[in-house]
Amino acid sequence: AQSVTQLDSQVPVFEEAPVELRCNYSSSVSVYLFWYVQYPNQGLQLLLKYLSGSTLVKGINGFEAEFNKSQTSFHLRKPSVHISDTAEYFCAVSGRGLTDKLIFGTGTRLQVFP
Amino acid sequence: SQTIHQWPATLVQPVGSPLSLECTVEGTSNPNLYWYRQAAGRGLQLLFYSVGIGQISSEVPQNLSASRPQDRQFILSSKKLLLSDSGFYLCAWNSLSNQPQHFGDGTRLSIL
């Protein structure tokens, strides 16, 4: 079974500053990893995914994440945030078996201030 | 392209009333379907998932039930709503269970 931990429930940051949202996972098998964004009163939107290959994954809206197998992490980064990036961010993990389901973290609230 | 629809977008119901939330997917066949609940300021709680017509798995025992009468239709129901059923309900689908899920816009349910 897999589990995922998002250590920061809230991350405040000023506009144009860099940001990192942390995600750590636990699994006894190889995994797929995902980041989602949720704007207020909306569903979740896929930001990026790691399935295989390059450990640096680029997604939409200028976000990227790096898969670190030795540290079992998949942190999300953006070099310069905008007010519009204010949202809830969810990390998710799944095993690679065909019956494995996505397991979501508890989310990190990114608040960007002017 | 594939799309997912949820309705209604918002719903206000009295305690003890019944509930029916509907989710439909277009542009794909035999999707895996999921119902989640998101309480205020909380993460996602998986309620039900389905891998085919009539096949429902419940993750959490509760006051709710789910049904899948057609391949791309997933319904969340309750016979008598409780105050604790308030929340934001999200439907999602994917083609394989370990692949990214695609979410609907959600239903905001308030119980009075």
Side-chain angles (χ1 to χ4, degrees), chain A residues 11-50:
Chain A
V11 173
V13 64
F14 287 108
E15 194 173 20
E16 298 183 6
V19 70
E20 178 180 85
L21 305 183
R22 296 182 293 168
C23 173
N24 287 89
Y25 69 92
S26 174
S27 177
S28 58
V29 298
S30 297
V31 297
Y32 298 137
L33 293 156
F34 312 89
W35 274 101
Y36 284 83
V37 60
Q38 184 182 30
Y39 299 104
N41 294 311
Q42 294 185 23
L44 278 68
Q45 179 182 2
L46 183 66
L47 269 180
L48 49 80
K49 60 186 177 184
Y50 171 76

mmCIF file of all heavy atoms in Angstrom, chain A residues 11-50:
data_model
loop_
_atom_site.group_PDB
_atom_site.id
_atom_site.type_symbol
_atom_site.label_atom_id
_atom_site.label_comp_id
_atom_site.label_asym_id
_atom_site.label_seq_id
_atom_site.Cartn_x
_atom_site.Cartn_y
_atom_site.Cartn_z
ATOM 1 N N VAL A 11 1.036 27.533 2.977
ATOM 2 C CA VAL A 11 2.295 28.174 2.598
ATOM 3 C C VAL A 11 1.978 29.590 2.130
ATOM 4 O O VAL A 11 1.368 29.762 1.067
ATOM 5 C CB VAL A 11 3.024 27.397 1.485
ATOM 6 C CG1 VAL A 11 4.234 28.182 0.986
ATOM 7 C CG2 VAL A 11 3.445 26.022 1.980
ATOM 8 N N PRO A 12 2.337 30.596 2.917
ATOM 9 C CA PRO A 12 2.167 31.993 2.480
ATOM 10 C C PRO A 12 3.422 32.464 1.759
ATOM 11 O O PRO A 12 4.536 32.137 2.174
ATOM 12 C CB PRO A 12 1.974 32.744 3.799
ATOM 13 C CG PRO A 12 2.739 31.929 4.799
ATOM 14 C CD PRO A 12 2.757 30.507 4.311
ATOM 15 N N VAL A 13 3.238 33.225 0.694
ATOM 16 C CA VAL A 13 4.380 33.701 -0.078
ATOM 17 C C VAL A 13 3.989 34.991 -0.777
ATOM 18 O O VAL A 13 2.810 35.208 -1.094
ATOM 19 C CB VAL A 13 4.829 32.627 -1.090
ATOM 20 C CG1 VAL A 13 3.745 32.358 -2.106
ATOM 21 C CG2 VAL A 13 6.135 32.992 -1.746
ATOM 22 N N PHE A 14 4.960 35.866 -0.990
ATOM 23 C CA PHE A 14 4.694 37.098 -1.720
ATOM 24 C C PHE A 14 4.794 36.867 -3.217
ATOM 25 O O PHE A 14 5.543 35.991 -3.691
ATOM 26 C CB PHE A 14 5.655 38.208 -1.284
ATOM 27 C CG PHE A 14 5.364 38.757 0.082
ATOM 28 C CD1 PHE A 14 6.194 38.465 1.156
ATOM 29 C CD2 PHE A 14 4.251 39.559 0.292
ATOM 30 C CE1 PHE A 14 5.920 38.965 2.420
ATOM 31 C CE2 PHE A 14 3.967 40.056 1.558
ATOM 32 C CZ PHE A 14 4.797 39.754 2.627
ATOM 33 N N GLU A 15 4.048 37.669 -3.934
ATOM 34 C CA GLU A 15 4.045 37.586 -5.395
ATOM 35 C C GLU A 15 5.460 37.736 -5.938
ATOM 36 O O GLU A 15 6.258 38.514 -5.420
ATOM 37 C CB GLU A 15 3.134 38.669 -5.970
ATOM 38 C CG GLU A 15 2.776 38.484 -7.427
ATOM 39 C CD GLU A 15 1.742 39.480 -7.910
ATOM 40 O OE1 GLU A 15 1.586 40.532 -7.252
ATOM 41 O OE2 GLU A 15 1.096 39.218 -8.933
ATOM 42 N N GLU A 16 5.773 36.979 -6.967
ATOM 43 C CA GLU A 16 7.059 36.948 -7.661
ATOM 44 C C GLU A 16 8.155 36.226 -6.883
ATOM 45 O O GLU A 16 9.272 36.096 -7.373
ATOM 46 C CB GLU A 16 7.533 38.345 -8.065
ATOM 47 C CG GLU A 16 6.578 39.046 -9.037
ATOM 48 C CD GLU A 16 7.093 40.400 -9.496
ATOM 49 O OE1 GLU A 16 8.238 40.752 -9.145
ATOM 50 O OE2 GLU A 16 6.352 41.102 -10.203
ATOM 51 N N ALA A 17 7.861 35.739 -5.699
ATOM 52 C CA ALA A 17 8.825 34.937 -4.956
ATOM 53 C C ALA A 17 8.757 33.490 -5.416
ATOM 54 O O ALA A 17 7.738 33.060 -5.965
ATOM 55 C CB ALA A 17 8.539 35.032 -3.459
ATOM 56 N N PRO A 18 9.838 32.723 -5.194
ATOM 57 C CA PRO A 18 9.780 31.291 -5.511
ATOM 58 C C PRO A 18 9.027 30.543 -4.414
ATOM 59 O O PRO A 18 8.900 31.015 -3.293
ATOM 60 C CB PRO A 18 11.259 30.885 -5.527
ATOM 61 C CG PRO A 18 11.897 31.834 -4.574
ATOM 62 C CD PRO A 18 11.158 33.136 -4.706
ATOM 63 N N VAL A 19 8.526 29.366 -4.781
ATOM 64 C CA VAL A 19 7.799 28.555 -3.812
ATOM 65 C C VAL A 19 8.108 27.080 -4.022
ATOM 66 O O VAL A 19 8.375 26.638 -5.144
ATOM 67 C CB VAL A 19 6.271 28.804 -3.910
ATOM 68 C CG1 VAL A 19 5.703 28.221 -5.195
ATOM 69 C CG2 VAL A 19 5.551 28.234 -2.695
ATOM 70 N N GLU A 20 8.108 26.342 -2.931
ATOM 71 C CA GLU A 20 8.234 24.882 -2.979
ATOM 72 C C GLU A 20 7.178 24.287 -2.064
ATOM 73 O O GLU A 20 7.079 24.649 -0.893
ATOM 74 C CB GLU A 20 9.625 24.432 -2.518
ATOM 75 C CG GLU A 20 9.761 22.916 -2.512
ATOM 76 C CD GLU A 20 11.136 22.445 -2.060
ATOM 77 O OE1 GLU A 20 11.331 22.334 -0.826
ATOM 78 O OE2 GLU A 20 11.981 22.187 -2.922
ATOM 79 N N LEU A 21 6.382 23.389 -2.605
ATOM 80 C CA LEU A 21 5.390 22.658 -1.826
ATOM 81 C C LEU A 21 5.884 21.223 -1.699
ATOM 82 O O LEU A 21 6.151 20.562 -2.701
ATOM 83 C CB LEU A 21 4.018 22.700 -2.516
ATOM 84 C CG LEU A 21 3.477 24.084 -2.846
ATOM 85 C CD1 LEU A 21 2.085 23.976 -3.451
ATOM 86 C CD2 LEU A 21 3.480 24.993 -1.639
ATOM 87 N N ARG A 22 5.962 20.762 -0.451
ATOM 88 C CA ARG A 22 6.606 19.480 -0.208
ATOM 89 C C ARG A 22 5.630 18.310 -0.238
ATOM 90 O O ARG A 22 4.493 18.415 0.245
ATOM 91 C CB ARG A 22 7.336 19.523 1.136
ATOM 92 C CG ARG A 22 8.470 20.535 1.174
ATOM 93 C CD ARG A 22 9.178 20.482 2.513
ATOM 94 N NE ARG A 22 8.321 20.936 3.622
ATOM 95 C CZ ARG A 22 8.626 20.774 4.900
ATOM 96 N NH1 ARG A 22 9.747 20.145 5.242
ATOM 97 N NH2 ARG A 22 7.804 21.233 5.832
ATOM 98 N N CYS A 23 6.118 17.199 -0.772
ATOM 99 C CA CYS A 23 5.348 15.965 -0.833
ATOM 100 C C CYS A 23 6.299 14.796 -0.623
ATOM 101 O O CYS A 23 7.288 14.667 -1.338
ATOM 102 C CB CYS A 23 4.635 15.831 -2.179
ATOM 103 S SG CYS A 23 3.810 14.247 -2.438
ATOM 104 N N ASN A 24 5.997 13.956 0.341
ATOM 105 C CA ASN A 24 6.749 12.733 0.559
ATOM 106 C C ASN A 24 5.802 11.550 0.490
ATOM 107 O O ASN A 24 4.649 11.637 0.913
ATOM 108 C CB ASN A 24 7.449 12.761 1.922
ATOM 109 C CG ASN A 24 8.617 13.709 1.933
ATOM 110 O OD1 ASN A 24 8.477 14.891 2.237
ATOM 111 N ND2 ASN A 24 9.781 13.202 1.578
ATOM 112 N N TYR A 25 6.289 10.450 -0.029
ATOM 113 C CA TYR A 25 5.426 9.279 -0.174
ATOM 114 C C TYR A 25 6.099 8.066 0.460
ATOM 115 O O TYR A 25 7.299 8.059 0.736
ATOM 116 C CB TYR A 25 5.125 9.013 -1.652
ATOM 117 C CG TYR A 25 6.314 8.541 -2.436
ATOM 118 C CD1 TYR A 25 6.584 7.188 -2.590
ATOM 119 C CD2 TYR A 25 7.189 9.449 -3.023
ATOM 120 C CE1 TYR A 25 7.691 6.750 -3.287
ATOM 121 C CE2 TYR A 25 8.290 9.031 -3.718
ATOM 122 C CZ TYR A 25 8.541 7.677 -3.848
ATOM 123 O OH TYR A 25 9.640 7.255 -4.544
ATOM 124 N N SER A 26 5.284 7.054 0.679
ATOM 125 C CA SER A 26 5.773 5.786 1.192
ATOM 126 C C SER A 26 5.192 4.672 0.342
ATOM 127 O O SER A 26 3.989 4.663 0.059
ATOM 128 C CB SER A 26 5.347 5.607 2.655
ATOM 129 O OG SER A 26 5.692 4.329 3.124
ATOM 130 N N SER A 27 6.072 3.765 -0.112
ATOM 131 C CA SER A 27 5.604 2.655 -0.925
ATOM 132 C C SER A 27 6.674 1.576 -0.967
ATOM 133 O O SER A 27 7.851 1.875 -1.003
ATOM 134 C CB SER A 27 5.287 3.136 -2.345
ATOM 135 O OG SER A 27 4.896 2.049 -3.161
ATOM 136 N N SER A 28 6.230 0.328 -1.033
ATOM 137 C CA SER A 28 7.165 -0.788 -1.143
ATOM 138 C C SER A 28 7.415 -1.165 -2.605
ATOM 139 O O SER A 28 8.251 -2.015 -2.886
ATOM 140 C CB SER A 28 6.625 -1.992 -0.375
ATOM 141 O OG SER A 28 5.352 -2.361 -0.873
ATOM 142 N N VAL A 29 6.675 -0.505 -3.512
ATOM 143 C CA VAL A 29 6.822 -0.792 -4.938
ATOM 144 C C VAL A 29 7.008 0.524 -5.690
ATOM 145 O O VAL A 29 6.838 1.604 -5.133
ATOM 146 C CB VAL A 29 5.590 -1.537 -5.489
ATOM 147 C CG1 VAL A 29 5.429 -2.881 -4.789
ATOM 148 C CG2 VAL A 29 4.326 -0.698 -5.327
ATOM 149 N N SER A 30 7.340 0.417 -6.970
ATOM 150 C CA SER A 30 7.487 1.614 -7.794
ATOM 151 C C SER A 30 6.150 2.330 -7.929
ATOM 152 O O SER A 30 5.086 1.694 -7.907
ATOM 153 C CB SER A 30 8.018 1.242 -9.176
ATOM 154 O OG SER A 30 9.302 0.689 -9.082
ATOM 155 N N VAL A 31 6.227 3.620 -8.072
ATOM 156 C CA VAL A 31 5.002 4.433 -8.035
ATOM 157 C C VAL A 31 4.892 5.377 -9.222
ATOM 158 O O VAL A 31 5.862 5.623 -9.943
ATOM 159 C CB VAL A 31 4.932 5.271 -6.744
ATOM 160 C CG1 VAL A 31 4.870 4.379 -5.513
ATOM 161 C CG2 VAL A 31 6.102 6.244 -6.653
ATOM 162 N N TYR A 32 3.673 5.863 -9.406
ATOM 163 C CA TYR A 32 3.393 7.020 -10.231
ATOM 164 C C TYR A 32 3.065 8.165 -9.261
ATOM 165 O O TYR A 32 2.477 7.937 -8.206
ATOM 166 C CB TYR A 32 2.196 6.784 -11.148
ATOM 167 C CG TYR A 32 2.369 5.673 -12.148
ATOM 168 C CD1 TYR A 32 1.338 4.769 -12.397
ATOM 169 C CD2 TYR A 32 3.541 5.529 -12.879
ATOM 170 C CE1 TYR A 32 1.475 3.758 -13.330
ATOM 171 C CE2 TYR A 32 3.689 4.514 -13.815
ATOM 172 C CZ TYR A 32 2.649 3.629 -14.028
ATOM 173 O OH TYR A 32 2.778 2.633 -14.955
ATOM 174 N N LEU A 33 3.402 9.381 -9.646
ATOM 175 C CA LEU A 33 3.180 10.533 -8.775
ATOM 176 C C LEU A 33 2.503 11.658 -9.539
ATOM 177 O O LEU A 33 2.755 11.847 -10.744
ATOM 178 C CB LEU A 33 4.516 11.025 -8.203
ATOM 179 C CG LEU A 33 5.181 10.048 -7.228
ATOM 180 C CD1 LEU A 33 6.674 10.291 -7.168
ATOM 181 C CD2 LEU A 33 4.554 10.171 -5.842
ATOM 182 N N PHE A 34 1.667 12.407 -8.839
ATOM 183 C CA PHE A 34 0.864 13.445 -9.480
ATOM 184 C C PHE A 34 0.751 14.662 -8.572
ATOM 185 O O PHE A 34 0.785 14.537 -7.340
ATOM 186 C CB PHE A 34 -0.564 12.928 -9.746
ATOM 187 C CG PHE A 34 -0.624 11.574 -10.392
ATOM 188 C CD1 PHE A 34 -0.646 10.421 -9.628
ATOM 189 C CD2 PHE A 34 -0.659 11.459 -11.775
ATOM 190 C CE1 PHE A 34 -0.692 9.174 -10.211
ATOM 191 C CE2 PHE A 34 -0.714 10.207 -12.370
ATOM 192 C CZ PHE A 34 -0.727 9.067 -11.597
ATOM 193 N N TRP A 35 0.595 15.826 -9.185
ATOM 194 C CA TRP A 35 0.202 17.040 -8.475
ATOM 195 C C TRP A 35 -1.054 17.592 -9.138
ATOM 196 O O TRP A 35 -1.127 17.686 -10.364
ATOM 197 C CB TRP A 35 1.288 18.109 -8.523
ATOM 198 C CG TRP A 35 2.311 17.989 -7.444
ATOM 199 C CD1 TRP A 35 3.563 17.464 -7.546
ATOM 200 C CD2 TRP A 35 2.197 18.428 -6.084
ATOM 201 N NE1 TRP A 35 4.229 17.539 -6.343
ATOM 202 C CE2 TRP A 35 3.411 18.130 -5.433
ATOM 203 C CE3 TRP A 35 1.178 19.065 -5.359
ATOM 204 C CZ2 TRP A 35 3.637 18.436 -4.091
ATOM 205 C CZ3 TRP A 35 1.405 19.370 -4.031
ATOM 206 C CH2 TRP A 35 2.626 19.059 -3.399
ATOM 207 N N TYR A 36 -2.005 17.962 -8.275
ATOM 208 C CA TYR A 36 -3.240 18.581 -8.713
ATOM 209 C C TYR A 36 -3.387 19.958 -8.074
ATOM 210 O O TYR A 36 -2.885 20.196 -6.975
ATOM 211 C CB TYR A 36 -4.456 17.747 -8.292
ATOM 212 C CG TYR A 36 -4.712 16.494 -9.092
ATOM 213 C CD1 TYR A 36 -4.032 15.309 -8.815
ATOM 214 C CD2 TYR A 36 -5.643 16.493 -10.128
ATOM 215 C CE1 TYR A 36 -4.281 14.163 -9.548
ATOM 216 C CE2 TYR A 36 -5.899 15.347 -10.863
ATOM 217 C CZ TYR A 36 -5.221 14.191 -10.560
ATOM 218 O OH TYR A 36 -5.470 13.052 -11.289
ATOM 219 N N VAL A 37 -4.142 20.848 -8.746
ATOM 220 C CA VAL A 37 -4.480 22.147 -8.179
ATOM 221 C C VAL A 37 -5.992 22.261 -8.115
ATOM 222 O O VAL A 37 -6.698 21.763 -9.001
ATOM 223 C CB VAL A 37 -3.871 23.309 -9.010
ATOM 224 C CG1 VAL A 37 -4.373 23.295 -10.449
ATOM 225 C CG2 VAL A 37 -4.153 24.649 -8.348
ATOM 226 N N GLN A 38 -6.479 22.885 -7.035
ATOM 227 C CA GLN A 38 -7.912 23.110 -6.878
ATOM 228 C C GLN A 38 -8.146 24.573 -6.551
ATOM 229 O O GLN A 38 -7.729 25.058 -5.495
ATOM 230 C CB GLN A 38 -8.497 22.242 -5.773
ATOM 231 C CG GLN A 38 -9.998 22.379 -5.631
ATOM 232 C CD GLN A 38 -10.563 21.551 -4.493
ATOM 233 O OE1 GLN A 38 -9.896 21.310 -3.488
ATOM 234 N NE2 GLN A 38 -11.801 21.097 -4.646
ATOM 235 N N TYR A 39 -8.821 25.278 -7.452
ATOM 236 C CA TYR A 39 -9.227 26.654 -7.199
ATOM 237 C C TYR A 39 -10.555 26.631 -6.444
ATOM 238 O O TYR A 39 -11.288 25.633 -6.510
ATOM 239 C CB TYR A 39 -9.330 27.431 -8.513
ATOM 240 C CG TYR A 39 -8.016 27.483 -9.243
ATOM 241 C CD1 TYR A 39 -7.791 26.688 -10.360
ATOM 242 C CD2 TYR A 39 -6.989 28.316 -8.807
ATOM 243 C CE1 TYR A 39 -6.569 26.714 -11.024
ATOM 244 C CE2 TYR A 39 -5.759 28.341 -9.463
ATOM 245 C CZ TYR A 39 -5.569 27.536 -10.562
ATOM 246 O OH TYR A 39 -4.365 27.565 -11.206
ATOM 247 N N PRO A 40 -10.897 27.692 -5.740
ATOM 248 C CA PRO A 40 -12.105 27.695 -4.901
ATOM 249 C C PRO A 40 -13.349 27.261 -5.662
ATOM 250 O O PRO A 40 -13.602 27.714 -6.786
ATOM 251 C CB PRO A 40 -12.197 29.159 -4.452
ATOM 252 C CG PRO A 40 -10.783 29.627 -4.437
ATOM 253 C CD PRO A 40 -10.124 28.945 -5.604
ATOM 254 N N ASN A 41 -14.096 26.361 -5.041
ATOM 255 C CA ASN A 41 -15.372 25.868 -5.577
ATOM 256 C C ASN A 41 -15.236 25.218 -6.953
ATOM 257 O O ASN A 41 -16.175 25.283 -7.767
ATOM 258 C CB ASN A 41 -16.404 26.993 -5.623
ATOM 259 C CG ASN A 41 -16.768 27.463 -4.237
ATOM 260 O OD1 ASN A 41 -17.076 26.664 -3.361
ATOM 261 N ND2 ASN A 41 -16.704 28.765 -4.015
ATOM 262 N N GLN A 42 -14.090 24.633 -7.201
ATOM 263 C CA GLN A 42 -13.896 23.907 -8.445
ATOM 264 C C GLN A 42 -13.360 22.514 -8.170
ATOM 265 O O GLN A 42 -12.946 22.198 -7.045
ATOM 266 C CB GLN A 42 -12.910 24.651 -9.365
ATOM 267 C CG GLN A 42 -13.429 25.992 -9.857
ATOM 268 C CD GLN A 42 -12.483 26.621 -10.862
ATOM 269 O OE1 GLN A 42 -11.690 25.935 -11.517
ATOM 270 N NE2 GLN A 42 -12.559 27.925 -10.994
ATOM 271 N N GLY A 43 -13.371 21.681 -9.190
ATOM 272 C CA GLY A 43 -12.762 20.373 -9.074
ATOM 273 C C GLY A 43 -11.249 20.456 -9.146
ATOM 274 O O GLY A 43 -10.674 21.543 -9.240
ATOM 275 N N LEU A 44 -10.593 19.305 -9.084
ATOM 276 C CA LEU A 44 -9.141 19.252 -9.161
ATOM 277 C C LEU A 44 -8.691 19.197 -10.617
ATOM 278 O O LEU A 44 -9.294 18.518 -11.448
ATOM 279 C CB LEU A 44 -8.612 18.019 -8.418
ATOM 280 C CG LEU A 44 -8.462 18.137 -6.906
ATOM 281 C CD1 LEU A 44 -9.796 18.240 -6.213
ATOM 282 C CD2 LEU A 44 -7.649 16.975 -6.361
ATOM 283 N N GLN A 45 -7.598 19.884 -10.884
ATOM 284 C CA GLN A 45 -7.036 19.929 -12.229
ATOM 285 C C GLN A 45 -5.610 19.382 -12.174
ATOM 286 O O GLN A 45 -4.822 19.784 -11.318
ATOM 287 C CB GLN A 45 -7.028 21.371 -12.735
ATOM 288 C CG GLN A 45 -6.451 21.564 -14.110
ATOM 289 C CD GLN A 45 -6.422 23.034 -14.521
ATOM 290 O OE1 GLN A 45 -6.811 23.912 -13.754
ATOM 291 N NE2 GLN A 45 -5.949 23.312 -15.713
ATOM 292 N N LEU A 46 -5.274 18.475 -13.088
ATOM 293 C CA LEU A 46 -3.948 17.889 -13.089
ATOM 294 C C LEU A 46 -2.905 18.922 -13.495
ATOM 295 O O LEU A 46 -3.008 19.540 -14.548
ATOM 296 C CB LEU A 46 -3.903 16.701 -14.054
ATOM 297 C CG LEU A 46 -2.602 15.927 -14.114
ATOM 298 C CD1 LEU A 46 -2.328 15.209 -12.795
ATOM 299 C CD2 LEU A 46 -2.635 14.916 -15.271
ATOM 300 N N LEU A 47 -1.893 19.115 -12.636
ATOM 301 C CA LEU A 47 -0.780 20.026 -12.927
ATOM 302 C C LEU A 47 0.332 19.305 -13.682
ATOM 303 O O LEU A 47 0.867 19.825 -14.656
ATOM 304 C CB LEU A 47 -0.193 20.561 -11.620
ATOM 305 C CG LEU A 47 -0.724 21.851 -11.023
ATOM 306 C CD1 LEU A 47 0.018 22.145 -9.731
ATOM 307 C CD2 LEU A 47 -0.588 23.010 -11.997
ATOM 308 N N LEU A 48 0.718 18.149 -13.165
ATOM 309 C CA LEU A 48 1.794 17.379 -13.776
ATOM 310 C C LEU A 48 1.775 15.968 -13.223
ATOM 311 O O LEU A 48 1.110 15.689 -12.231
ATOM 312 C CB LEU A 48 3.153 18.044 -13.534
ATOM 313 C CG LEU A 48 3.511 18.473 -12.115
ATOM 314 C CD1 LEU A 48 3.986 17.334 -11.265
ATOM 315 C CD2 LEU A 48 4.573 19.585 -12.149
ATOM 316 N N LYS A 49 2.533 15.093 -13.902
ATOM 317 C CA LYS A 49 2.576 13.696 -13.492
ATOM 318 C C LYS A 49 3.958 13.132 -13.772
ATOM 319 O O LYS A 49 4.631 13.534 -14.730
ATOM 320 C CB LYS A 49 1.518 12.878 -14.237
ATOM 321 C CG LYS A 49 1.684 12.898 -15.741
ATOM 322 C CD LYS A 49 0.523 12.206 -16.441
ATOM 323 C CE LYS A 49 0.675 12.301 -17.965
ATOM 324 N NZ LYS A 49 -0.468 11.741 -18.690
ATOM 325 N N TYR A 50 4.372 12.207 -12.931
ATOM 326 C CA TYR A 50 5.582 11.444 -13.162
ATOM 327 C C TYR A 50 5.172 9.983 -13.341
ATOM 328 O O TYR A 50 4.617 9.368 -12.429
ATOM 329 C CB TYR A 50 6.568 11.559 -11.996
ATOM 330 C CG TYR A 50 7.725 10.594 -12.157
ATOM 331 C CD1 TYR A 50 8.742 10.859 -13.064
ATOM 332 C CD2 TYR A 50 7.754 9.399 -11.449
ATOM 333 C CE1 TYR A 50 9.781 9.957 -13.251
ATOM 334 C CE2 TYR A 50 8.785 8.498 -11.623
ATOM 335 C CZ TYR A 50 9.797 8.777 -12.528
ATOM 336 O OH TYR A 50 10.816 7.881 -12.721
#
